[in-house]
Amino acid sequence: MLVLLKPGTPEAAASDVMTRLRMAGLAVHRTDHDGRIRVAAVGDTGAVDWTEVATWPGVESTHKLPRPFKLASRAFRPHDTIVQVGRCGIGGRQLAIMAGPCSVEGEAQAFAIAEAVARSGATVLRGGAYKPRTSPYAFQGLGEEGLKILRRAADAHGLAVVSEVMDTQQVPLLARYADILQIGARNMQNYSLLREVGHASRPVMIKRGLSSTIEEWLLSAEHVMAQGNQQVILCERGIRTFETYTRNTLDLNAVPVVKELSHLPVLVDPSHGTGIRDKVAPMARAAIAAGADGLIIEVHNDPEHALSDGPQSLWPGQFDELVGQIRTIAEVLGRSV
Ligand code: PEP
Ligand code: MN
C-alpha cells in the first residue's frame, strides 16, 4: 500500500505513522517527492484497515500499489533513481558506458582494454572473474586474482568496476573489489543471492533472465530492495526465443516498458543480446535511441584469442567509433556521454 502524507507533515507525525504501520507487522519504506512524504507499506497488507489508516494524523490518503513489485514501481517513487558510481550518476542525464572483456584473462589484457575504453569515454570497466559457463570444461575465470587485476586496471584509468557475483558466499569478496555487483542472467531468480546482495553496501546490476518476463525481472529487483538496498540497476541482455541467427533476441521493447513501470535505471547489453560483433553497434545505437540509461559492451584487444565471448567482442577501435555515435544520439535526446 502507498500512504501519502499531507504536504508539510512534521517529521514526528510521519515517524508516528511509520511506527504504527510497523506495529501492524508491515515493512515500511519512505520516499520524498514534490514536498510530500510517501510511505510504502509492504507485507500482509490485507490484515490492516486502510480506511482507518487514512484518518491518522498527517495521512492524506492511502492507495493500493497496483503491481506485484512495489518499491521498484514508479507508483511508489515517481522520480528516476540515480545510482551514483564513481563519477557517473547512473539513471541521470549522463549515459553510463560500461565496457571491458567478458573475462579477465591477465594483467596485460585487462590494462590494455581499460586504457582503451577509458580513452573512448567509458566510466565503468566490466570483466568477469567468476564466470557462469554453460560447459564445465570452458574457462571458469581467474577468481580473486582476476578481481585484483580488474581493480588495478580500473584504478589506473579512473574507472569504476562491475563484476559478476555467482553465489552468496562470494558477496563480501566481490564487494571488496567491485563498485557494482552484477547478478548474471542465469542467477536472476536465485533468491538467496538476491537477498544477500540486498544486504551489501554496493549497487547491484540485475541482468534479465534468459526466459524471464519483465514482471519477473522487476520482482528480482524487488527482492534486493526489500532487504534495504535501493541501489539497483536493470540490464536487458536479450531473451531466448525461437530465433537462431542471433545468440539471443534483444528485447528493446523492455526499455520504454520498464521506464514507465519503474524508476530504476535500465542499461542494455547488446553484446550478449546479439552474440555477433557487427550487430553490437546497431543495437547499441537503437538501445540509446529507445531511452536506455547506458550500455554494457564487451571489448577485447585480441578477440580472436579471447577465452570467452570473442565473437561478440568489439575491437577497441570499433568501440571508440561507437561511443562517438552514441554521443551524437545522446545529444538529440538531451543527454550526454
Ligand atoms: C556477462 O556479462 O559476461 C554474462 C555472463 O552475462 P549474462 O549473465 O547476461 O549472460
Ligand atoms: Mn560474456
Side-chain angles (χ1 to χ4, degrees):
M1 288 293 285
L2 174 67
V3 180
L4 271 184
L5 302 193
K6 293 175 183 152
T9 299
E11 277 300 320
S15 155
D16 273 355
V17 169
M18 292 192 282
T19 305
R20 289 174 78 177
L21 291 168
R22 280 193 200 99
M23 277 162 46
L26 300 174
V28 168
H29 300 260
R30 160 187 177 163
T31 189
D32 294 41
H33 180 75
D34 277 352
R36 193 197 291 259
I37 298 169
R38 304 160 70 89
V39 178
V42 291
D44 183 10
T45 53
V48 175
D49 178 354
W50 293 99
T51 44
E52 197 232 309
V53 174
T55 67
W56 292 356
V59 175
E60 183 174 278
S61 54
T62 62
H63 308 264
K64 197 164 165 21
L65 286 164
R67 308 276 182 187
F69 46 89
K70 311 292 179 191
L71 307 179
S73 75
R74 216 178 256 288
F76 167 52
R77 196 190 295 267
H79 53 270
D80 289 340
T81 284
I82 298 180
V83 176
Q84 199 62 44
V85 179
R87 40 198 178 91
C88 190
I90 302 171
R93 187 178 170 278
Q94 187 193 355
L95 298 174
I97 308 291
M98 307 184 179
C102 178
S103 303
V104 182
E105 299 168 10
E107 189 103 14
Q109 175 240 24
F111 273 74
I113 298 170
E115 197 261 325
V117 301
R119 194 160 14 91
S120 298
T123 52
V124 181
L125 181 64
R126 64 146 290 145
Y130 294 92
K131 295 302 300 178
R133 302 308 300 279
T134 304
S135 164
Y137 309 118
F139 177 60
Q140 305 290 307
L142 294 182
E144 185 171 1
E145 190 47 35
L147 290 174
K148 287 182 180 165
I149 293 171
L150 191 65
R151 184 75 259 172
R152 284 200 298 271
D155 287 347
H157 298 285
L159 299 167
V161 165
V162 59
S163 196
E164 177 163 354
V165 54
M166 277 181 46
D167 71 53
T168 52
Q169 289 157 15
Q170 288 169 357
V171 173
L173 182 71
L174 263 291
R176 192 163 339 126
Y177 295 104
D179 301 290
I180 304 171
L181 307 176
Q182 174 174 326
I183 301 296
R186 290 154 192 81
N187 262 326
M188 190 206 86
Q189 288 180 307
N190 178 340
Y191 298 114
S192 330
L193 182 57
L194 296 175
R195 203 172 312 116
E196 199 66 26
V197 297
H199 291 129
S201 56
R202 288 276 178 277
V204 176
M205 182 172 82
I206 306 178
K207 299 191 89 178
R208 182 174 177 187
L210 279 70
S211 303
S212 298
T213 64
I214 290 171
E215 188 161 286
E216 288 163 344
W217 186 24
L218 288 169
L219 280 166
S220 292
E222 190 78 12
H223 270 274
V224 175
M225 299 173 87
Q227 299 305 317
N229 188 348
Q230 310 301 308
Q231 303 291 96
V232 176
I233 302 157
L234 298 164
C235 178
E236 162 63 42
R237 49 76 74 204
I239 50 175
R240 202 163 258 198
T241 68
F242 49 80
E243 183 51 66
T244 56
Y245 276 19
T246 49
R247 181 176 178 180
N248 290 295
T249 297
L250 187 64
D251 179 15
L252 289 186
N253 291 348
V255 174
V257 170
V258 170
K259 292 302 287 181
E260 182 186 356
L261 291 171
S262 177
H263 51 84
L264 296 173
V266 188
L267 303 194
V268 169
D269 171 353
S271 308
H272 295 88
T274 64
I276 304 166
R277 181 175 307 124
D278 68 4
K279 304 296 176 282
V280 170
M283 296 315 286
R285 297 190 296 257
I288 296 305
D293 295 300
L295 298 164
I296 178 163
I297 294 182
E298 287 184 343
V299 176
H300 201 288
N301 56 337
D302 183 10
E304 307 305 325
H305 297 104
L307 297 182
S308 59
D309 287 349
Q312 68 192 33
S313 298
L314 297 189
W315 289 90
Q318 293 177 308
F319 176 70
D320 190 64
E321 187 184 357
L322 172 60
V323 176
Q325 295 166 342
I326 296 300
R327 235 180 225 114
T328 305
I329 298 170
E331 233 169 76
V332 173
L333 300 169
R335 305 189 80 165
S336 65
V337 169

